[in-house]
Amino acid sequence: MPGDYVLLSVSDDGCGMDRETISHLFEPFFTTKELGKGTGLGLATVYGIVHQNNGFITVESSPGRGSTFRIFLPRLSGPPTEGSAVEQVPLRGSETVLLVEDEASILELGKMLLEELGYQVLAAGGAMEALELAERNPQPIHLLLTDVVMPRMNGPELASRLALLRPRMRCLYMSGYAEGLADRGLSREMNYLRKPFTMTDLSRKVREVLDRRD
């Protein structure tokens, strides 16, 4: 595509991919990993984020020779528009949040952001750990903030199980692939936070769900 772009290139020296695998690479829920080892949403999420920002991504790979991903993002020119660098003030709280995310780096980041906003955080790396935390912690849990797609038990299934233990607990789903929500029995009108999100996005959505009158 013609234009002025910034290039981000990432390469590895792994096993590489054949043409058939590459043709499905950015499809949601496609994965070459063993059952329970991956969700197949990582590259679909990357693809969505790049296209949201008017960019594109290319892949070069062959079996036994590794892979190279190139991300092209439009280069901005001229001064920033007024207010573009002004971040809205995050909304704070003090409630207890049960955070469930199977990606360790995202779990740690989410915990850090929520604690920075003043919340008490119970962090779980999966649905089974979340159930154990809910069962053994006597204090009220005000909000379940969970990823939608996880191994063994997905977010909606976890929410249904936890509703039996904590019927007054609110629920907020997060996902990097909005188009896959319908396949999981969800809609965009439900309590939903799209990845990636800023601290302000997170703070406002959490308060929206917690402060809503049923």
Side-chain angles (χ1 to χ4, degrees):
M1 296 176 64
D4 192 12
Y5 292 89
V6 174
L7 169 63
L8 171 63
S9 180
V10 180
S11 299
D12 66 40
D13 57 358
C15 61
M17 298 174 287
D18 57 26
R19 290 187 177 182
E20 177 66 17
T21 300
I22 293 174
S23 68
H24 297 287
L25 201 57
F26 297 109
E27 295 177 5
F29 309 114
F30 173 77
T31 180
T32 58
K33 296 180 180 179
E34 299 176 15
L35 183 64
K37 296 293 186 179
T39 61
L41 283 177
L43 286 174
T45 300
V46 171
Y47 183 88
I49 293 171
V50 170
H51 276 257
Q52 286 172 27
N53 289 278
N54 301 313
F56 61 96
I57 182 170
T58 65
V59 185
E60 291 182 9
S61 185
S62 59
R65 302 188 64 179
S67 305
T68 297
F69 291 79
R70 293 185 176 89
I71 296 174
F72 297 82
L73 296 172
R75 183 190 298 273
L76 297 179
S77 59
T81 58
E82 184 177 352
S84 62
V86 178
E87 184 76 5
Q88 292 179 304
V89 177
L91 302 178
R92 301 176 62 83
S94 58
E95 292 92 338
T96 298
V97 178
L98 175 54
L99 174 64
V100 190
E101 168 61 62
D102 61 316
E103 291 286 345
S105 59
I106 300 177
L107 179 66
E108 183 61 29
L109 176 61
K111 182 175 184 293
M112 180 185 70
L113 292 177
L114 287 167
E115 289 178 340
E116 182 70 20
L117 292 168
Y119 295 99
Q120 305 297 313
V121 182
L122 300 173
M128 302 311 295
E129 184 181 353
L131 288 169
E132 292 175 3
L133 284 173
E135 288 175 348
R136 72 169 184 254
N137 279 276
Q139 74 265 35
I141 300 176
H142 303 92
L143 177 69
L144 168 66
L145 175 56
T146 179
D147 193 13
V148 172
V149 182
M150 298 181 292
R152 299 184 63 181
M153 184 186 302
N154 64 33
E157 292 169 342
L158 172 62
S160 296
R161 291 276 298 273
L162 285 173
L164 301 176
L165 298 172
R166 308 274 181 157
R168 301 185 65 181
M169 182 176 62
R170 304 292 179 90
C171 180
L172 173 59
Y173 298 105
M174 54 183 175
S175 177
Y177 191 76
E179 286 73 11
L181 294 179
D183 297 332
R184 304 289 159 172
L186 301 174
S187 69
R188 298 192 192 198
E189 288 69 38
M190 296 183 70
N191 298 333
Y192 164 66
L193 178 65
R194 182 164 188 169
K195 301 176 186 175
F197 47 78
T198 66
M199 177 182 278
T200 299
D201 295 334
L202 175 64
S203 73
R204 291 182 178 274
K205 195 64 181 181
V206 167
R207 286 264 44 103
E208 175 188 319
V209 174
L210 286 173
D211 295 339
R212 183 180 299 151
R213 293 185 177 181
D214 294 332

